[in-house]
Amino acid sequence: PFNERAIEIQRNTLPENHPALAFSYNNIAGLYYQMQQYQKALSHFERAQTMLRLSLPASHPNLRIIRQSIELLRKKLSTNI
């Protein structure tokens, strides 16, 4: 898919944990969520969170938003089992 190709291009052109790459993972996670592909969304949100933890302070609002998204997805996945 095009979204995964976009991440591949960024991985080849940006440093490993660049915030722009993390935001791309976050945005693609949102797409997967909208398509109800929750496991893929969760893995992309977790990847974004890991990357942003290395470049942003722990109190940054984007980290809080991603953390909330991860919690929501985990609850959704646990009720769909």
Side-chain angles (χ1 to χ4, degrees):
F2 291 111
N3 54 358
E4 294 295 338
R5 177 73 178 126
I7 283 185
E8 182 181 332
I9 290 168
Q10 285 187 318
R11 278 197 313 250
N12 290 330
T13 57
L14 295 172
E16 184 177 345
N17 291 306
H18 195 281
L21 181 56
F23 290 125
S24 291
Y25 273 101
N26 180 67
N27 292 339
I28 291 172
L31 290 173
Y32 280 129
Y33 181 86
Q34 293 299 317
M35 296 183 326
Q36 298 181 356
Q37 294 183 20
Y38 301 127
Q39 195 60 51
K40 284 185 178 183
L42 179 61
S43 69
H44 281 70
F45 277 131
E46 289 173 337
R47 175 74 177 171
Q49 181 183 50
T50 298
M51 296 170 85
L52 288 176
R53 281 182 176 164
L54 298 173
S55 59
L56 298 176
S59 61
H60 196 281
N62 286 344
L63 280 170
R64 181 178 41 81
I65 291 167
I66 291 174
R67 200 169 31 252
Q68 290 171 344
S69 297
I70 289 171
E71 290 172 11
L72 172 73
L73 273 168
R74 287 184 177 152
K75 286 179 186 176
K76 186 172 280 295
L77 286 168
S78 69
T79 59
N80 287 341
I81 295 177

